[in-house]
Amino acid sequence: MPIKTVYNAQIEHLQILDETGKLDDKLAKDTLTDEQVSYLYEQMTVCRQLDEVAFRLQRSGRMGTYPQNKGQEAAAAGSGFAAKKGVDFLVPCYRENLALFLHGLPMHYVLLHWMGDERGNQIPEGVNITPISIPIGTQMLHATGIAWAFKLRKEPRVAVTYFGDGATSEGDFHEAMNFASVLQVPCVFFCQNNHWAISVPREIQMNSETVAQKAIAYGMPTIQVDGNDLFAVYKASRDAIERARSGGGPSFIEAVTYRLGDHTTADDARRYRDQKEVEMWAARDPLVRLRKYLEKKDLWSEDRQKRLEERAKAIVQEVVKTAEGIEKPATDDIFDYTFAGELPAELQRQKATMRTSSLGQRPEQVGLHAVPERA
Amino acid sequence: MPIKTVYNAQIEHLQILDETGKLDDKLAKDTLTDEQVSYLYEQMTVCRQLDEVAFRLQRSGRMGTYPQNKGQEAAAAGSGFAAKKGVDFLVPCYRENLALFLHGLPMHYVLLHWMGDERGNQIPEGVNITPISIPIGTQMLHATGIAWAFKLRKEPRVAVTYFGDGATSEGDFHEAMNFASVLQVPCVFFCQNNHWAISVPREIQMNSETVAQKAIAYGMPTIQVDGNDLFAVYKASRDAIERARSGGGPSFIEAVTYRLGDHTTADDARRYRDQKEVEMWAARDPLVRLRKYLEKKDLWSEDRQKRLEERAKAIVQEVVKTAEGIEKPATDDIFDYTFAGELPAELQRQKATMRTSSLGQRPEQVGLHAVPERA
Amino acid sequence: MPRSEMMIEKGLTLVDAINEALYQEMERDDRVVILGEDVGLNGGVFRVTDGLQKRFGPDRVVDTPLAESGIMGTAIGLAMAGMRPVPEIQFEGFLGPAFDQLVNHAARYRTRSRGAITVPMTVRVPVGGGIHAPELHSDSPEAIYAHQPGLKVVMPSTPYDAKGLLTSAIRDPDPVIFFEPKRVYRSFREHIPEEEYTIPIGQAKVVSEGSDITMISWGATVFQCLEALDQLPEDVSVELIDLRTIDPIDEDAICQSAEKTGRVVIVHEAPKTCGLGAELATIIQERCFLHLEAPVQRVCGFDTVMPYYKLELEYLPDAARIVEALQQVAAY
Amino acid sequence: MPRSEMMIEKGLTLVDAINEALYQEMERDDRVVILGEDVGLNGGVFRVTDGLQKRFGPDRVVDTPLAESGIMGTAIGLAMAGMRPVPEIQFEGFLGPAFDQLVNHAARYRTRSRGAITVPMTVRVPVGGGIHAPELHSDSPEAIYAHQPGLKVVMPSTPYDAKGLLTSAIRDPDPVIFFEPKRVYRSFREHIPEEEYTIPIGQAKVVSEGSDITMISWGATVFQCLEALDQLPEDVSVELIDLRTIDPIDEDAICQSAEKTGRVVIVHEAPKTCGLGAELATIIQERCFLHLEAPVQRVCGFDTVMPYYKLELEYLPDAARIVEALQQVAAY
Ligand SMILES: Cc1ncc(C[n+]2csc(CCOP(=O)(O)OP(=O)(O)O)c2C)c(N)n1
Ligand SMILES: Cc1ncc(C[n+]2csc(CCOP(=O)(O)OP(=O)(O)O)c2C)c(N)n1
Ligand SMILES: [Mg+2]
Ligand SMILES: [Mg+2]
């Protein structure tokens, strides 16, 4: 046949908990228990509080630039909770703090990172995550490689990697997706489409109707979910993770969400986006929605909320205290992690003298105060 | 609705002239005239001859590495012919010689290039192409930029860029496709899927069923065509080019073809691919198919074929003579094209002295033959 | 754009000066287009392109997708097709993904096509440390690009130089990397001509004359050098040279000074090994060997990864380290 | 793999030696995996990985998609997860697309995570000119990677050194770039031990002792230096040092020799400006200032784009240029 269709594809969108807090019971079956939902709601609230405090820390000069996660907590919670703590491996960017905390990262690490301290990246033994990643779109390749190692060693483990809508424009995104699909590694690509990459809206970041369809290029299973819906995020993530674990290869998830705050504390989003849009999305706030749901199910009360908020404040206060209580790193740290083992001679010299030129650092040169005869 | 389909896509495959030389008249309507087909058949034959001779030049040490185009002539001819000579702009890799010749590149330029001579890239005024490109997958970004310039200046011109199946794995391919689609520039992405990237077969280059579906990621019109079918290639290319010219934005074309020769003269394809596969594709040779068609239509004869072959030989012989008759470039050429205008002082010095250290190149240093007193 | 009250009264910051040069070149030549991440409505994350989209429209000041190789590669295409693109890379750390297009394509097109195809573009890149930024926002990669033939590399340290050099860069028929020391972006104001002017690429500037020691620097560290001169207790006469252009190097200017003083200190932020300091020191010992009274001394970043901001001031050359070097060179 | 008759009789080429080191390390440590374009069935375009996929299977010798950043980035991931990847980049020109992953990720992970995450990988890259290859197949980018803290850079010139250094590199807990001078790949054979052995990274080698001039080189140009020594008419005693490791630099070895001879010539293929020669010259003048009888002299590639092959021998340092430099340094 001279014209024939050789390929067909479609993208599904999944929502389980709608904006009014109404749950689709059929789809919600075998997802989260009441207890788990309450737990995650609490965690999300703590994270929101961390954001508020971090913002103030930056404003008062006690911390550098900080990117709020505000509005995206359901995406981080649902996906992070779907991955097995201590088994699976998270490879984040910087807008899924809660996923990291759910996998055991002490909260003050995140603050330390943004306080300009590498020890915020010194992930404790047993916590299976990579540090917060600043360069956009590069970490998905590491996730693919980590997942590849799991496959080679026949370990039933999965790598989950996070990135934004903007990150999908980078060449490394493409290469990571392609490698993962060709090698059929257990990796889940979790895109937080929060509609903005700093000031660039999704529509001029890409010309496709969905982000999810990018996975079609690689023949990779893909889905679009309501990213402010904890249930939908959890279900899609769990399915993708378990498919990967059982040898079914990588998947892509587009979580449609919204960055309620500025890009970072260095940004002023009012310069480029409409307040109306922000308000529309504020109404879809994942915390608000979840609380409505909990209230509807009589799992929540004004009183519990008050106590939660107080607890969140106390927790975050403690975290700030811990982070700020950590002494400035030793200058030696600049040198000591460049290589394993003994430093090369020149680096030892630089460290010992805090000098970069060897002039004056060698016994025969020190103390020469007159122009000498030539040798 | 909790699960809904938010996007649908399909990929069509187009064939007009089948392997037996039978034409689909309906689809062929308004494509190529008999005269044009004969002309292009002749050009394809000359190109095939160039390949044979180039191979022998390399083997006898008269030329460096050379990549034969053999088997892919219909793809180059149909697409190159669809673009307007002197108006549109071709941005090739190295396996579409014929497209370049159709746009006015003197044939010996290609040989010069592979003889290690930059003058093979010194595209004459009025010939709208960029030179043969060695690094894989990088030139599509330039094509996007060129097309962008056309759009900015409101010129009704189109850029057509060529690349292989392997090239689609590079990050730059992704970025070029995305930029082109977002900016809606008049650019046609023409992929010669010849099934191999040196020794790597398409199936381990990508995990998608088609190459064409990669364009879905960018919301870009896309089609798969029989790349050994001159009519299908021409029609798809013309449609894409005219859509681009009239403001319809970029398109992607996957031309399914086959590299009948080794990757280059430095390669031995028997190390990694099955002779049976080669034979199967040899039966689909675009030249054979076109000749069958011409014969069926009584546009061709044994005698014309013989004369064509002789003419092809004569032409190529002349081309070789021209290329080999060009004297070795002057050593100054190493320097003279580094920057426009006068060279920076240090480069002038390097050029004048053919030295990289200034020792001995300055009057006060020349002729110093004894250790001098310090100043 | 007409100057603000503030600018008229107090002068222009480096950011203002660059903005003014961009504005004037866009007025003058409609082939000039700006492209990059957030350069449009947002005016760039440092506000260097502030107001330009409003004035010249979204076709000439273009917010691109988030892809540096894409920015560089399409800018190359624009330039090949006769435009004068001025791509912005948001921070020098993100030149990484654009490295291949810059070094293997932009830098080589004139040579590889024997002049048939050229790439007149100016790549603007904020550079250097000292502003408490996150990782990969504080490096100084100028030596890498100086090593690549076919590229010009510029790094002004003052508003006056920035305006004149950027104007030259945009008019240059070849690719120029224009590094903007972000530590200086708003650190002071300077009164500079409102009308357009150019400063030739490839000319160093003597910041202060002197006869005992030559000190060479560029970008933000020029100000650490000035601080050091203030702190220098001894009565030593230091000639401070601001290189301004990294490549081509103004060899005559530095050698002239080195021959006069016989003692040289070079200061830069980048790691020592294979930094530009090495090239300068080598040129000086090649050309001024018989005049040198002491080894050329380098004060640079250490050969370690640029630390996060808690330790960045320990890493970056500061006045104390520079003073020490000057004293040692003087005493040698 | 058991050695062929030819190897037993006539010794191993550089290609054979590298292949043997890979084979032995893969036998020894099943965390070692090879990945790259055409490294599998095809055995690499230079046949360096010939036979390895057959022996170790397609899981450990992996043909990847055509994407250098992908190769580098997934190799980093493999290394972070406890493997010992040995990615191959087909030619040094194609390091460009992998530059960001190498320089901004591989090189920094140990530092940025304060040792929590490390990247033990060895990046193999054929390097250099002189084999009549197409464009972007003949560059020498070693200085760029030497400038980046956190990477080790190695470039052996003989089969013996290649085997020992590659073995060390694979066992090294940090990222190592292993540059293979392709001009030497099959240019001669050498009898080397069949059993595994290591050569420490960071140690230069004295190829021939001498007392009048120190000549420093690495990679393929070591043989141009030897040729020059043969042609040197005068009775000058030259000490030839093969650097072997580009970074960390064996400063003691070169300074010891420079102090002895007082005259130094450095030879490399890369462009002069900001090449490794500048760093070596600067170190020598810093540490051996009072011993130098002449400026350190460089014989390098010109500051132009590496030409296509018709002119490549004019570009590359050859014996004649080296002889001239030696004579001038001797006569200074
Ligand atoms: C390679 C690179 N280029 C540019 C930047 C500067 N930058 C930081 S965040 C950002 C936008 C990221 O957008 P997206 O991926 O959608 O993530 P979001 O911030 O919206 O969560 C940009 C351009 C960077 N960090 N890395
Ligand atoms: C960036 C880059 N990586 C690797 C190579 C080496 N190389 C040359 S051709 C080739 C395969 C190209 O395959 P494809 O794109 O399918 O084109 P084809 O040769 O089949 O026409 C490779 C890997 C290169 N030239 N450039
Ligand atoms: Mg975003
Ligand atoms: Mg191919």
Side-chain angles (χ1 to χ4, degrees):
Chain A
M1 218 170 47
I3 299 190
K4 61 183 177 191
T5 300
V6 288
Y7 179 76
N8 258 302
Q10 62 183 45
I11 302 292
E12 315 272 57
H13 177 96
L14 176 70
Q15 188 191 57
I16 301 180
L17 182 68
D18 77 9
E19 296 169 33
T20 67
K22 198 171 144 292
L23 194 74
D24 183 314
D25 288 319
K26 226 170 102 192
L27 287 171
K29 198 165 165 286
D30 292 333
T31 57
L32 295 164
T33 65
D34 289 348
E35 203 183 324
Q36 290 171 332
V37 176
S38 307
Y39 168 73
L40 290 171
Y41 175 68
E42 289 171 11
Q43 298 300 313
M44 288 162 68
T45 306
V46 174
C47 255
R48 179 73 58 97
Q49 175 63 19
L50 183 72
D51 260 9
E52 300 298 328
V53 171
F55 184 86
R56 292 201 298 268
L57 285 176
Q58 191 279 336
R59 282 295 185 268
S60 57
R62 287 154 69 192
M63 194 165 73
T65 308
Y66 175 83
Q68 289 194 322
N69 291 197
K70 190 173 170 183
Q72 304 184 210
E73 293 91 345
S79 56
F81 194 65
K84 266 195 205 160
K85 180 177 167 182
V87 174
D88 296 334
F89 212 102
L90 305 192
V91 182
C93 54
Y94 49 74
R95 232 182 272 283
E96 43 280 323
N97 288 341
L98 182 46
L100 309 184
F101 301 151
L102 289 174
H103 281 252
L105 186 75
M107 286 177 73
H108 70 273
Y109 273 63
V110 165
L111 294 187
L112 258 188
H113 173 100
W114 297 108
M115 286 172 171
D117 192 324
E118 285 87 347
R119 288 171 297 179
N121 298 339
Q122 198 174 28
I123 312 299
E125 272 286 333
V127 176
N128 292 339
I129 66 166
T130 55
I132 282 173
S133 181
I134 298 300
I136 297 298
T138 52
Q139 76 280 13
M140 296 91 101
L141 276 171
H142 309 159
T144 301
I146 290 168
W148 187 0
F150 294 160
K151 185 182 176 186
L152 285 174
R153 293 195 300 250
K154 303 191 176 22
E155 295 168 1
R157 303 169 67 186
V158 180
V160 181
T161 182
Y162 293 87
F163 50 92
D165 44 313
T168 66
S169 295
E170 288 281 4
D172 276 4
F173 162 75
H174 174 69
E175 301 190 13
M177 293 284 285
N178 191 44
F179 271 64
S181 188
V182 164
L183 296 162
Q184 285 290 296
V185 300
C187 187
V188 174
F189 293 86
F190 193 91
C191 178
Q192 294 209 55
N193 170 11
N194 66 3
H195 288 82
W196 292 89
I198 311 187
S199 72
V200 178
R202 203 201 72 98
E203 304 78 52
I204 66 172
Q205 190 67 243
M206 62 192 80
N207 191 36
S208 56
E209 276 130 303
T210 65
V211 184
Q213 77 201 61
K214 289 177 187 263
I216 292 174
Y218 316 98
M220 192 190 289
T222 178
I223 190 169
Q224 186 185 66
V225 304
D226 180 340
N228 288 0
D229 165 359
L230 179 69
F231 289 87
V233 172
Y234 174 76
K235 184 178 160 63
S237 306
R238 188 202 54 195
D239 291 353
I241 289 168
E242 294 316 321
R243 179 166 55 238
R245 197 186 309 286
S246 58
S251 302
F252 185 86
I253 296 171
E254 173 191 358
V256 182
T257 180
Y258 195 79
R259 192 192 83 208
L260 285 175
D262 292 332
H263 169 67
T264 65
T265 47
D267 179 51
D268 177 3
R270 287 166 308 183
R271 286 177 69 90
Y272 52 78
R273 74 180 182 183
D274 205 342
Q275 193 48 32
K276 282 217 196 78
E277 182 185 287
V278 180
E279 280 158 21
M280 183 184 80
W281 279 96
R284 298 180 193 160
D285 186 325
L287 267 74
V288 173
R289 188 186 303 193
L290 213 53
R291 184 172 164 190
K292 278 186 196 157
Y293 165 76
L294 289 170
E295 282 169 352
K296 265 189 195 153
K297 281 202 85 173
D298 252 351
L299 293 162
W300 208 248
S301 65
E302 202 54 59
D303 185 51
R304 273 192 81 166
Q305 178 70 19
K306 229 182 105 189
R307 271 184 293 141
L308 170 59
E309 282 169 14
E310 271 159 24
R311 194 147 47 86
K313 273 187 194 145
I315 289 170
V316 171
Q317 210 172 4
E318 198 54 40
V319 166
V320 172
K321 223 173 101 187
T322 307
E324 291 195 320
I326 289 169
E327 268 180 43
K328 198 183 152 182
T331 302
D332 282 1
D333 285 3
I334 294 177
F335 300 90
D336 288 348
Y337 300 93
T338 311
F339 297 108
E342 207 178 78
L343 287 179
E346 169 62 14
L347 264 182
Q348 286 182 32
R349 194 151 46 216
Q350 291 182 15
K351 178 181 162 186
T353 62
M354 286 303 281
R355 300 278 304 284
T356 40
S357 201
S358 48
L359 175 60
Q361 294 166 48
R362 294 167 62 77
E364 75 274 19
Q365 289 174 342
V366 170
L368 283 175
H369 281 269
V371 179
E373 294 302 305
R374 291 193 84 195
Chain B
M1 218 169 48
I3 299 191
K4 61 183 176 190
T5 300
V6 287
Y7 180 75
N8 257 303
Q10 61 184 45
I11 302 293
E12 314 272 59
H13 178 97
L14 176 71
Q15 189 192 55
I16 301 181
L17 181 68
D18 77 8
E19 294 168 34
T20 66
K22 198 169 143 292
L23 194 76
D24 184 312
D25 289 318
K26 226 171 102 190
L27 288 171
K29 197 163 166 286
D30 294 332
T31 56
L32 295 164
T33 65
D34 288 349
E35 204 182 325
Q36 289 171 332
V37 176
S38 305
Y39 169 72
L40 291 172
Y41 176 67
E42 288 170 12
Q43 298 301 312
M44 288 162 68
T45 305
V46 174
C47 255
R48 179 73 58 96
Q49 174 64 18
L50 183 73
D51 260 9
E52 299 299 327
V53 171
F55 184 86
R56 290 201 300 269
L57 285 176
Q58 190 279 335
R59 281 296 185 266
S60 57
R62 289 153 68 192
M63 193 166 75
T65 307
Y66 176 81
Q68 290 194 320
N69 290 198
K70 189 174 171 183
Q72 304 183 211
E73 293 91 345
S79 56
F81 195 65
K84 267 196 205 159
K85 181 176 166 180
V87 174
D88 296 333
F89 211 102
L90 305 193
V91 182
C93 54
Y94 49 74
R95 231 183 270 283
E96 43 278 324
N97 289 340
L98 182 47
L100 310 183
F101 301 151
L102 289 173
H103 281 251
L105 185 74
M107 285 177 74
H108 70 274
Y109 274 62
V110 165
L111 294 187
L112 260 188
H113 173 101
W114 296 110
M115 285 173 171
D117 191 324
E118 285 88 347
R119 288 170 297 180
N121 297 339
Q122 199 176 24
I123 311 299
E125 271 286 332
V127 176
N128 291 340
I129 66 167
T130 55
I132 283 174
S133 181
I134 297 298
I136 297 298
T138 51
Q139 76 279 12
M140 297 90 100
L141 276 170
H142 309 158
T144 301
I146 291 168
W148 188 0
F150 295 159
K151 184 180 178 188
L152 286 174
R153 293 195 300 250
K154 301 193 179 17
E155 296 167 1
R157 302 169 69 187
V158 180
V160 180
T161 183
Y162 293 88
F163 49 93
D165 43 313
T168 66
S169 294
E170 288 282 4
D172 276 4
F173 162 76
H174 174 70
E175 300 189 16
M177 294 283 287
N178 191 45
F179 271 63
S181 189
V182 164
L183 296 161
Q184 286 290 295
V185 301
C187 188
V188 174
F189 292 86
F190 192 91
C191 178
Q192 293 209 56
N193 169 13
N194 66 2
H195 289 83
W196 291 90
I198 310 187
S199 74
V200 178
R202 203 201 72 98
E203 305 77 53
I204 66 174
Q205 189 69 242
M206 61 191 80
N207 192 38
S208 56
E209 274 130 303
T210 65
V211 183
Q213 79 202 59
K214 287 178 188 264
I216 293 175
Y218 315 98
M220 191 190 289
T222 180
I223 189 170
Q224 187 186 66
V225 304
D226 181 340
N228 288 0
D229 166 358
L230 179 68
F231 289 85
V233 171
Y234 174 75
K235 185 179 159 63
S237 304
R238 189 203 55 195
D239 292 353
I241 289 168
E242 294 316 320
R243 179 168 52 238
R245 197 186 310 288
S246 59
S251 302
F252 185 87
I253 296 171
E254 174 191 357
V256 181
T257 181
Y258 195 79
R259 191 191 84 207
L260 284 175
D262 292 333
H263 169 67
T264 65
T265 48
D267 179 50
D268 177 3
R270 287 166 307 182
R271 285 177 69 91
Y272 52 78
R273 74 181 181 182
D274 205 341
Q275 195 47 31
K276 283 217 196 77
E277 183 185 286
V278 181
E279 280 158 23
M280 186 184 78
W281 280 95
R284 298 180 191 160
D285 186 326
L287 268 75
V288 172
R289 189 186 303 194
L290 212 53
R291 185 171 163 191
K292 278 185 195 158
Y293 165 75
L294 289 170
E295 282 170 351
K296 265 189 193 151
K297 281 201 87 175
D298 253 350
L299 294 164
W300 207 248
S301 66
E302 202 52 60
D303 184 52
R304 275 192 79 165
Q305 178 70 19
K306 229 182 106 189
R307 272 184 292 139
L308 169 59
E309 282 170 15
E310 271 158 25
R311 194 149 46 87
K313 272 187 192 143
I315 291 170
V316 171
Q317 212 172 1
E318 199 55 40
V319 167
V320 172
K321 224 172 101 185
T322 307
E324 291 195 322
I326 290 169
E327 270 179 42
K328 200 185 150 180
T331 302
D332 282 3
D333 284 5
I334 294 176
F335 299 90
D336 287 350
Y337 298 93
T338 311
F339 297 109
E342 206 179 79
L343 288 179
E346 168 63 13
L347 264 182
Q348 287 183 33
R349 193 152 46 217
Q350 291 182 14
K351 178 180 161 186
T353 61
M354 287 302 282
R355 299 278 305 281
T356 40
S357 200
S358 50
L359 175 58
Q361 294 167 48
R362 294 169 63 76
E364 75 274 20
Q365 289 175 342
V366 172
L368 281 174
H369 283 267
V371 179
E373 292 303 306
R374 293 193 82 192
Chain C
M1 278 172 288
R3 290 188 173 180
S4 68
E5 284 292 312
M6 166 80 103
M7 291 182 203
I8 293 164
E9 218 177 285
K10 304 201 166 155
L12 276 62
T13 62
L14 194 74
V15 164
D16 299 331
I18 296 168
N19 183 278
E20 188 163 282
L22 290 169
Y23 178 86
Q24 292 178 349
E25 287 307 292
M26 292 190 80
E27 282 285 4
R28 184 176 171 274
D29 182 350
D30 61 14
R31 298 171 305 171
V32 178
V33 293
I34 290 175
L35 63 155
E37 296 155 10
D38 307 290
V39 296
L41 196 53
N42 200 33
V45 295
F46 287 107
R47 306 287 176 259
V48 173
T49 56
D50 199 21
L52 297 177
Q53 188 181 67
K54 197 163 169 202
R55 168 65 187 83
F56 297 104
D59 270 2
R60 291 187 64 198
V61 184
V62 187
D63 281 323
T64 65
L66 206 177
E68 289 75 15
S69 191
I71 293 167
M72 198 65 74
T74 54
I76 291 172
L78 284 166
M80 286 164 60
M83 305 298 287
R84 296 271 168 163
V86 185
E88 172 181 305
I89 299 294
Q90 208 160 70
F91 285 89
E92 76 295 317
F94 313 134
L95 264 176
F99 174 85
D100 187 57
Q101 284 290 343
L102 190 48
V103 152
N104 288 337
H105 299 273
R108 296 178 195 235
Y109 236 116
R110 179 183 291 278
T111 298
R112 69 185 288 266
S113 72
R114 288 296 182 250
I117 299 172
T118 61
V119 183
M121 79 173 175
T122 301
V123 185
R124 291 186 38 251
V125 195
V127 76
I131 63 156
H132 275 205
E135 67 172 331
L136 289 176
H137 288 63
S138 305
D139 281 350
S140 296
E142 67 271 14
I144 288 174
Y145 299 97
H147 187 47
Q148 175 58 46
L151 293 176
K152 293 176 184 161
V153 185
V154 169
M155 199 191 299
S157 71
T158 67
Y160 179 81
D161 288 346
K163 182 174 171 184
L165 280 165
L166 181 55
T167 304
S168 295
I170 293 173
R171 297 181 190 177
D172 197 280
D174 287 303
V176 179
I177 312 183
F178 189 83
F179 282 120
E180 303 170 359
K182 50 184 106 87
R183 200 174 182 179
V184 186
Y185 262 155
R186 294 189 161 78
S187 66
F188 69 98
R189 296 178 170 274
E190 189 182 14
H191 285 286
I192 68 175
E194 185 150 9
E195 60 279 10
E196 53 164 79
Y197 59 94
T198 59
I199 295 173
I201 290 173
Q203 287 187 5
K205 179 177 75 176
V206 175
V207 178
S208 66
E209 288 193 26
S211 52
D212 298 336
I213 302 179
T214 300
M215 178 149 65
I216 307 170
S217 194
W218 54 92
T221 43
V222 168
F223 299 95
Q224 270 70 57
C225 291
L226 286 168
E227 212 182 305
L229 293 188
D230 279 350
Q231 290 174 19
L232 205 59
E234 285 89 331
D235 185 25
V236 188
S237 164
V238 177
E239 179 144 303
L240 175 60
I241 296 180
D242 180 348
L243 211 53
R244 299 198 296 188
T245 292
I246 305 298
D247 189 25
I249 298 165
D250 189 346
E251 295 193 13
D252 288 345
I254 60 174
C255 290
Q256 236 165 339
S257 181
E259 283 180 11
K260 179 171 72 178
T261 61
R263 299 170 195 271
V264 183
V265 171
I266 301 165
V267 182
H268 65 67
E269 290 189 14
K272 185 203 80 162
T273 295
C274 290
L276 187 70
E279 182 61 36
L280 299 175
T282 305
I283 290 169
I284 292 166
Q285 68 91 33
E286 280 169 1
R287 288 186 47 178
C288 319
F289 186 72
L290 302 177
H291 300 271
L292 284 181
E293 305 288 341
V296 178
Q297 163 90 332
R298 294 183 282 182
V299 184
C300 317
F302 301 113
D303 286 318
T304 68
V305 173
M306 175 80 205
Y308 283 19
Y309 78 71
K310 272 189 188 170
L311 290 174
E312 72 175 333
L313 296 181
E314 271 85 340
Y315 179 90
L316 296 170
D318 59 7
R321 278 175 67 201
I322 298 168
V323 165
E324 207 185 324
L326 288 169
Q327 288 174 323
Q328 257 158 351
V329 165
Y332 192 92
Chain D
M1 280 171 288
R3 290 187 174 181
S4 68
E5 283 293 312
M6 167 81 102
M7 291 181 204
I8 293 164
E9 220 178 283
K10 303 199 166 154
L12 275 65
T13 62
L14 194 75
V15 164
D16 298 331
I18 296 168
N19 182 276
E20 187 164 283
L22 290 170
Y23 177 86
Q24 291 177 350
E25 285 309 290
M26 292 190 80
E27 281 285 4
R28 184 174 170 275
D29 182 349
D30 61 13
R31 297 171 305 172
V32 178
V33 292
I34 290 174
L35 63 155
E37 296 155 11
D38 306 290
V39 296
L41 197 53
N42 200 33
V45 294
F46 287 107
R47 308 285 177 260
V48 173
T49 54
D50 199 22
L52 296 177
Q53 189 182 67
K54 197 162 168 203
R55 166 67 188 82
F56 297 104
D59 270 3
R60 291 188 63 200
V61 183
V62 186
D63 281 323
T64 65
L66 207 176
E68 288 76 14
S69 191
I71 293 167
M72 197 67 73
T74 54
I76 291 171
L78 283 165
M80 286 163 60
M83 306 298 287
R84 296 272 168 161
V86 185
E88 172 182 304
I89 298 295
Q90 208 160 70
F91 285 89
E92 76 293 318
F94 313 133
L95 263 176
F99 174 85
D100 187 58
Q101 284 289 344
L102 190 49
V103 152
N104 287 338
H105 299 273
R108 295 178 195 235
Y109 236 117
R110 179 184 291 279
T111 299
R112 70 187 286 266
S113 72
R114 289 293 182 252
I117 297 172
T118 61
V119 184
M121 82 175 171
T122 302
V123 185
R124 291 187 37 252
V125 195
V127 75
I131 62 157
H132 275 205
E135 69 173 329
L136 288 177
H137 288 64
S138 306
D139 281 351
S140 296
E142 68 271 14
I144 289 174
Y145 299 97
H147 187 47
Q148 174 59 45
L151 292 177
K152 293 176 185 163
V153 185
V154 169
M155 197 191 300
S157 71
T158 66
Y160 179 81
D161 287 347
K163 182 173 171 183
L165 281 165
L166 181 54
T167 304
S168 295
I170 293 174
R171 296 182 192 177
D172 197 280
D174 287 305
V176 180
I177 312 183
F178 189 83
F179 282 120
E180 303 170 1
K182 48 183 110 87
R183 201 175 183 179
V184 186
Y185 260 157
R186 292 187 164 80
S187 65
F188 69 97
R189 295 177 169 276
E190 190 182 15
H191 285 285
I192 68 174
E194 184 150 9
E195 60 279 11
E196 54 164 77
Y197 60 93
T198 59
I199 295 173
I201 291 173
Q203 288 189 3
K205 179 177 73 177
V206 176
V207 178
S208 66
E209 289 194 23
S211 52
D212 298 336
I213 302 178
T214 300
M215 178 149 65
I216 308 170
S217 194
W218 55 92
T221 42
V222 169
F223 299 96
Q224 271 69 57
C225 292
L226 285 169
E227 212 182 306
L229 293 189
D230 279 350
Q231 290 173 17
L232 204 59
E234 284 90 330
D235 185 27
V236 188
S237 163
V238 178
E239 179 144 302
L240 174 60
I241 295 180
D242 179 347
L243 212 54
R244 300 198 294 190
T245 292
I246 306 297
D247 190 25
I249 298 165
D250 189 346
E251 295 193 13
D252 288 344
I254 61 174
C255 290
Q256 233 165 342
S257 181
E259 284 180 11
K260 181 172 67 179
T261 62
R263 299 168 195 271
V264 184
V265 171
I266 301 166
V267 182
H268 64 67
E269 290 189 16
K272 185 204 81 163
T273 294
C274 290
L276 187 71
E279 182 61 37
L280 298 175
T282 305
I283 290 169
I284 291 166
Q285 67 92 33
E286 281 170 359
R287 289 187 45 181
C288 318
F289 186 72
L290 302 177
H291 300 270
L292 285 181
E293 304 288 341
V296 179
Q297 162 90 331
R298 295 183 282 180
V299 183
C300 318
F302 302 113
D303 286 319
T304 69
V305 174
M306 174 81 204
Y308 283 18
Y309 77 72
K310 273 189 187 170
L311 291 173
E312 73 175 331
L313 296 182
E314 271 85 339
Y315 180 90
L316 296 171
D318 59 8
R321 279 175 67 202
I322 298 168
V323 165
E324 208 185 324
L326 288 169
Q327 287 174 325
Q328 257 158 354
V329 165
Y332 193 93

